[in-house]
Amino acid sequence: MKENYTQVNINEWSRGNLFKSYMDNMRIVMSLTVDIDVTNLITFIKNNHLKFYPSMIWIVSKVVNAHDEFKYSWDNDRNLIKWDFISPSYADFHKEDENFTKLVTVFSDDIFEFHNRFMADKEQNKFRRAFVENQPRNFFDVSCLPWIKYRHFDVHVFDEGDFLAPVITWGKYEVEQEKYLMPLSMNIHHAVADGFHLSRLFIEVQELIDSIDQKNF
């Protein structure tokens, strides 16, 4: 699938001065963890015979793609660009050797179509380890720690401080007061987003989960 994007004119961009200030003087990544109620999602996937992992990946991908601030990157000439859409780059863990495959499944607006793509990609790459080659460049990072319910989780990207895509992680969900609560974490570069945008992601993830059985896919 072709990777389509728009080059950003920083001088004409409403966030241009903020972007330049953070990139030139203060390269900051914000991180936040919020407990999400996934009770309705668990019911939905059971009723529709889906897996939790790809379904939750679709949830965060759907919200990420609804907002421009999460779709910025760089082209090969180091020009700032905005992807038309971005797909999740996720880890497929293998219990047998405690290793993982890192791959991208192309995003679809339809949860069932995305789930089918995910399962096909997982099967096709089940004997591979580490990063699958020739992955699309329009991606953001997703992973999970399903073995533990944590309070906070932070991922440090050791580059030159110019990785602009979101990094999203979640942990184990557990029952609390008859609800399944799960920690969801997100890291994002302050050059492209503020606390408002970070907070909105968690709010909209919860709203999407709460209404998913009412959606007409």
Side-chain angles (χ1 to χ4, degrees):
M1 186 172 292
K2 188 176 180 180
E3 302 163 342
N4 293 324
Y5 61 83
T6 302
Q7 186 171 324
V8 179
N9 185 329
I10 297 178
N11 296 321
E12 296 179 357
W13 182 27
S14 61
R15 191 180 176 83
N17 289 334
L18 270 175
F19 180 85
K20 288 188 288 186
S21 294
Y22 279 115
M23 294 304 297
D24 294 344
N25 305 313
M26 197 185 309
R27 298 192 176 188
I28 296 175
V29 172
M30 301 181 295
S31 179
L32 182 64
T33 298
V34 174
D35 277 346
I36 298 294
D37 180 357
V38 295
T39 308
N40 199 48
L41 179 61
I42 292 171
T43 300
F44 177 83
I45 65 174
K46 286 181 178 179
N47 290 340
N48 290 278
H49 309 291
L50 304 176
K51 301 290 187 182
F52 183 85
Y53 189 38
S55 300
M56 189 63 202
I57 291 177
W58 180 84
I59 292 285
V60 297
S61 300
K62 174 80 170 176
V63 177
V64 162
N65 274 286
H67 299 289
D68 289 347
E69 60 265 20
F70 302 133
K71 295 185 283 189
Y72 291 104
S73 186
W74 310 94
D75 66 13
N76 293 331
D77 297 318
R78 297 297 297 171
N79 297 305
L80 183 66
I81 62 171
K82 184 184 69 179
W83 297 110
D84 288 358
F85 73 95
I86 54 176
S87 298
S89 171
Y90 56 91
D92 180 26
F93 182 71
H94 306 283
K95 293 181 180 179
E96 62 272 21
D97 59 10
E98 298 182 355
N99 212 323
F100 68 89
T101 309
K102 186 69 168 173
L103 66 158
V104 174
T105 291
V106 175
F107 174 68
S108 168
D109 207 46
D110 183 293
I111 187 173
F112 299 105
E113 181 177 352
F114 177 80
H115 192 279
N116 289 338
R117 290 179 184 176
F118 176 98
M119 298 305 293
D121 289 342
K122 176 182 169 72
E123 176 65 22
Q124 181 179 350
N125 295 283
K126 63 182 179 181
F127 297 118
R128 298 186 181 184
R129 296 297 182 267
F131 285 70
V132 174
E133 296 178 352
N134 301 318
Q135 294 295 292
R137 298 177 301 154
N138 54 327
F139 74 92
F140 71 100
D141 193 82
V142 178
S143 62
C144 70
L145 286 73
W147 313 277
I148 189 169
K149 174 81 184 298
Y150 60 75
R151 293 299 177 190
H152 185 66
F153 182 75
D154 193 13
V155 177
H156 296 279
V157 180
F158 289 99
D159 61 355
E160 296 180 355
D162 57 4
F163 183 78
L164 303 178
V167 179
I168 297 177
T169 311
W170 57 84
K172 181 181 180 180
Y173 58 75
E174 293 181 342
V175 177
E176 296 183 22
Q177 299 180 346
E178 300 183 349
K179 296 180 179 180
Y180 286 96
L181 299 183
M182 183 186 76
L184 178 67
S185 304
M186 180 176 183
N187 291 44
I188 189 68
H189 204 300
H190 210 338
V192 295
D194 304 315
F196 166 81
H197 308 101
L198 184 59
S199 300
R200 181 168 61 184
L201 175 122
F202 293 100
I203 293 169
E204 293 190 0
V205 163
Q206 188 64 72
E207 289 175 346
L208 180 55
I209 290 174
D210 290 345
S211 63
I212 191 169
D213 52 353
Q214 303 167 16
K215 299 293 183 184
N216 198 356
F217 302 104

